[in-house]
Every structure is written in structure tokens, then in C-alpha cells.
């Protein structure tokens, strides 16, 4: 896409790697992506662009480019469209940003546990924010029902029976971050292991698919990491088919608080991943502080609660001899983890880390 800015950093955590007895840890820091604070900007906004591009092309008989939508050349067509979705925060912010940039209306549903800071961040892009009682999955169903009634278009990052096309666009957008990562690596840094967090599984499946397409049987081992209170991929693997984790899904890892795995994500993960593990909220807190404090001499990194799940999962596995053996972790292992967000809830970040994100030194953005 022509409007992509400079790449987000790939941070080398050499000090933590030495402490964990592996060759390297590569942390892709998405905190600066498009100024939105998370990787979700790659998915939701891209899907909004693709959707509006198709609608305009059908009307005028040709494909328009991104600049024609941004400059408002076809605002008379795009402003008639309303996009909607449910979100834990970051995806909705991306969809709202895309709607504002490309010129359509936007209604975003959040569940009652989404923080006010995240709601305000979405509304700042001109979206109408509606708070729905219950959890994320209930908000998804409400957004879909209202969309059907009002002839809105759902731009969701999760798929379900009868709804798969747009979520595939979202997943394709995510792949930009992994392609960037490989361009930033040296040949010696090719990962042997990827520890990837999952909510509904969209980004995990996107990365898993990319790795298999690029490396085939030589793809890195792929380990999915989830909050223990929102472990839909783990339970789906146990059951053998998509299942529904019920309840409040109460975890500080708000972006991963999902009770139902995306059906298209599951089709990829069920054969592409090597293992699934769950982590506690305390493990996420510890990983956030580890990155911020840089006590092993690494570059300090501002990482949100959901960003650190993969790193937290790796650190837990690295400390357990049985897990190291089962996953093939040794002094030659190169670990890739995806830092999905910065401090998208500044108040919670300060509460956990003990100081505001602004005073934690940030790595330079690399081209």
C-alpha cells in the first residue's frame, strides 16, 4: 500500500536472550504503527480500504487507488457506507481510523470491560462508540445483528459461519509486519521458534500461513500463547473443533480476551501450529516490567499487556527443562515474538510498570 510509513522496529533483546540461554530474541515492536499504537492498523484499515475500493469500482467501472479515496474524490459514494465491528480496543481503533481516512461512517461496539481510555481512542477518529453489556463475543453478535438491520457492513477480525471474506482481508493486512521483520533480519537471525499470542487467532493464523508458504517443512516451530482465562485456541485443540469459552474472560490482556476462535484462523492453526500454551496475568505484568526496566541491558521497550504474551510464554517455557526439551529450545535457538501494541491504555500501563510510558526510553524507528 502506497501510504505505508517507515517500518516499525525489530528490537534485539540480547540481554534477555543470554539470561534465557538462547542465541537471540527478536521483538517486533508495533507500538509506533501509523501512530495508532498497534499492529491492528494493518488489518482493519486495510479491510476498510479494500471494501470501499470495491464499492466505488462497481459504481464507476474501474479500480481506484488509495490516494483517490484519501483525497475525497469519491466521497459522494463512500459517505453512504457505514462500517461496524466489535472490538477489545485496537481493531476498532484501526477500523475507525480507516473509515475516517477513506470517508465512510463508522459504528464501533465495545463490551463493558473495555477501558474508557480505549473507548476515547476509538471515538477520536470520528466513530460512534456503543458499549454493550457482556463480553467480547456477545458484542460481536450485537454488532452483526445491528449491521443486518441497518444495512451496515461488518469489518470484523474474526470469522464465523457465512462471514469469511472480510476477515481474510484483515489477516492479509497483518502479513505486512512479518514481511517487514524478515527484511530487517540478518541471515543468521532466521527464527527457529515463533511464540505468537492469539485472541480470535487472526494474526497468529496470518503469520503461521506466511511461514509455511515461505519455508514449508523448514518453517520455525510455531507456539500459540493465550491468557489462561481466554484460552479458546487451547480448548478448541483439546476438543478438536471450535468451541466457545464462556464467562467474562477477565484478563488484563484485553486484546486477547476472546472466547471463540475465528473459523478461518482455526483451519490454518489446527495443522500449522506446533503447540499451545496459556499464561497468567502476572506473567504478562512481569514481561511488561522486564521490557521497560531493561535490567539485562537491552533497549527499553514500551509494551502493552497483550503485546508481551508471546514473550511471557517463551520465558516460562525457557525456565522449564521439560518444556525446553519438548519445544527444542537450546543455545542455538532464535526466538521471534510479536509486540502487538504499545501503551494503548496509558493508565493501566503506568499502574503496572510504575511510571508513564513517556518516560520509558523507546527504540529508534528503523527504515
Amino acid at each position: 500500500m502506497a501510504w505505508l510509513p517507515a517500518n516499525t522496529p525489530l528490537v534485539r533483546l540480547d540481554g534477555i536472550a543470554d539470561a534465557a540461554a538462547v542465541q537471540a530474541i527478536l521483538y517486533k515492536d508495533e507500538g509506533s504503527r501509523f501512530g495508532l499504537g498497534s499492529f491492528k492498523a494493518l488489518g482493519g484499515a486495510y479491510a476498510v480500504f479494500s471494501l470501499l475500493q470495491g464499492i466505488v469500482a462497481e459504481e464507476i467501472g474501474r479500480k481506484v487507488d488509495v490516494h483517490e479515496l484519501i483525497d475525497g474524490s469519491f466521497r459522494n459514494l463512500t459517505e453512504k457506507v457505514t462500517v461496524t465491528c466489535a472490538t477489545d480496543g485496537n481493531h476498532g481503533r484501526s477500523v475507525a481510523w480507516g473509515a475516517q481516512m477513506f470517508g465512510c461512517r463508522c459504528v464501533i461496539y465495545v463490551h463493558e470491560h473495555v477501558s474508557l481510555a480505549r473507548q476515547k481512542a476509538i471515538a477520536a477518529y470520528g466513530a460512534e462508540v456503543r458499549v454493550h453489556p457482556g463480553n467480547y463475543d456477545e458484542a460481536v453478535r450485537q454488532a452483526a445483528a445491528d449491521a443486518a438491520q441497518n444495512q451496515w457492513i461488518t469489518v470484523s477480525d474474526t470469522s464465523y459461519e457465512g462471514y469469511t471474506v472480510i476477515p481474510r482481508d484483515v489477516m492479509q493486512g497483518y502479513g505486512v509486519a512479518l514481511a517487514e521483520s524478515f527484511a530487517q533480519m540478518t541471515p543468521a537471525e532466521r527464527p527457529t521458534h515463533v511464540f505468537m499470542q492469539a485472541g480470535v487467532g487472526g494474526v497468529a493464523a496470518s503469520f503461521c500461513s506466511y511461514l509455511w508458504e515461505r519455508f514449508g517443512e523448514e518453517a520455525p516451530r510455531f507456539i500459540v500463547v493465550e491468557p489462561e482465562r481466554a484460552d479458546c485456541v487451547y480448548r478448541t485443540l483439546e476438543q478438536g473443533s471450535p468451541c466457545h469459552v464462556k464467562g467474562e474472560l477477565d484478563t488484563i490482556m484485553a486484546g486477547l480476551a476472546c472466547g471463540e476462535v475465528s473459523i478461518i484462523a482455526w483451519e490454518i492453526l489446527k495443522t500449522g501450529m506446533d503447540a499451545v500454551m496459556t499464561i497468567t496475568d502476572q506473567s504478562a505484568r512481569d514481561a511488561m516490567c522486564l521490557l521497560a526496566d531493561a535490567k539485562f541491558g537491552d533497549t527499553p521497550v514500551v509494551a502493552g499487556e497483550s503485546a508481551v504474551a508471546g514473550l511471557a510464554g517463551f520465558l516460562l517455557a525457557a525456565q522449564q527443562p521439560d518444556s525446553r526439551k519438548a519445544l527444542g529450545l537450546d543455545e542455538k535457538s532464535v526466538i521471534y515474538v510479536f509486540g502487538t501494541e504499545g501503551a494503548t491504555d496509558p493508565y493501566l500501563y503506568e499502574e503496572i510498570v510504575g511510571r508513564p510510558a513517556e518516560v520509558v526510553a523507546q527504540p529508534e524507528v528503523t527504515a
Side-chain angles (χ1 to χ4, degrees):
M1 297 171 67
W3 44 281
L4 287 175
N7 295 348
T8 55
L10 185 68
V11 184
R12 278 85 178 165
L13 301 175
D14 295 334
I16 299 176
D18 288 343
V22 295
Q23 178 179 320
I25 301 173
L26 307 175
Y27 181 95
K28 181 64 166 169
D29 181 8
E30 289 291 295
S32 61
R33 180 69 70 181
F34 291 149
L36 295 187
S38 95
F39 82 103
K40 290 284 189 177
L42 292 170
Y46 174 77
V48 172
F49 164 71
S50 297
L51 170 69
L52 295 176
Q53 184 186 51
I55 289 172
V56 172
E58 186 174 345
E59 184 70 23
I60 69 171
R62 70 171 179 88
K63 192 174 184 178
V64 299
D65 65 29
V66 66
H67 303 291
E68 290 176 288
L69 289 182
I70 290 176
D71 68 18
S73 297
F74 298 97
R75 191 61 58 97
N76 62 314
L77 298 176
T78 61
E79 66 185 4
K80 299 175 183 178
V81 177
T82 298
V83 295
T84 188
C85 72
T87 186
D88 286 313
N90 290 335
H91 176 68
R93 191 175 180 184
S94 176
V95 170
W97 176 61
Q100 183 185 71
M101 179 164 49
F102 299 124
C104 67
R105 184 170 175 260
C106 183
V107 181
I108 301 295
Y109 290 75
V110 299
H111 58 83
E112 59 188 339
H113 302 294
V114 172
S115 70
L116 185 59
R118 289 193 169 101
Q119 293 179 38
K120 288 181 176 179
I122 295 167
Y125 291 101
E128 177 188 346
V129 178
R130 298 185 181 183
V131 181
H132 184 74
N135 62 29
Y136 168 79
D137 301 299
E138 291 164 336
V140 168
R141 286 187 278 274
Q142 187 62 54
D146 288 356
Q149 181 177 353
N150 295 299
Q151 295 185 310
W152 301 340
I153 301 175
T154 302
V155 180
S156 178
D157 58 349
T158 188
S159 62
Y160 40 85
E161 196 66 40
Y163 179 76
T164 59
V165 174
I166 289 177
R168 288 187 191 277
D169 285 339
V170 173
M171 288 171 58
Q172 286 177 343
Y174 294 157
V176 169
L178 191 53
E180 277 184 12
S181 297
F182 276 98
Q184 292 168 316
M185 295 173 193
T186 67
E189 291 176 327
R190 178 177 155 183
T192 60
H193 297 74
V194 174
F195 284 77
M196 175 64 68
Q197 55 269 62
V200 298
V203 67
S206 175
F207 279 31
C208 187
S209 174
Y210 179 99
L211 293 168
W212 273 97
E213 288 178 9
R214 181 163 180 165
F215 298 111
E217 294 293 332
E218 296 181 355
R221 294 196 183 190
F222 197 90
I223 299 95
V224 170
V225 183
E226 298 180 290
E228 63 178 0
R229 296 173 183 168
D231 56 347
C232 59
V233 175
Y234 185 94
R235 295 199 196 185
T236 294
L237 180 63
E238 252 187 344
Q239 180 175 293
S241 60
C243 67
H244 183 192
V245 179
K246 299 180 180 179
E248 293 186 353
L249 309 175
D250 186 19
T251 171
I252 64 166
M253 292 169 270
L256 308 180
C258 307
E260 296 182 58
V261 66
S262 167
I263 59 172
I264 58 173
W266 176 243
E267 287 303 307
I268 295 169
L269 293 174
K270 69 180 180 182
T271 55
M273 64 184 178
D274 294 281
V276 187
M277 62 185 298
T278 62
I279 62 170
T280 64
D281 280 2
Q282 187 58 50
S283 296
R285 291 187 183 95
D286 292 344
M288 290 172 66
C289 293
L290 179 66
L291 289 174
D293 296 342
K295 71 175 184 177
F296 293 106
D298 297 313
T299 301
V301 176
V302 174
E305 317 85 71
S306 298
V308 298
L311 178 62
F314 160 70
L315 293 173
L316 288 171
Q319 294 169 18
Q320 301 169 5
D322 290 346
S323 295
R324 288 186 73 97
K325 182 178 180 180
L327 296 176
L329 293 169
D330 58 30
E331 68 280 357
K332 295 181 180 180
S333 298
V334 177
I335 313 303
Y336 176 90
V337 290
F338 190 47
T340 51
E341 64 177 5
T344 52
D345 186 333
Y347 306 105
L348 181 56
Y349 182 85
E350 183 174 356
E351 177 186 319
I352 292 171
V353 173
R355 59 195 186 280
E358 293 76 23
V359 303
V360 176
Q362 300 214 31
E364 295 181 359
V365 175
T366 58

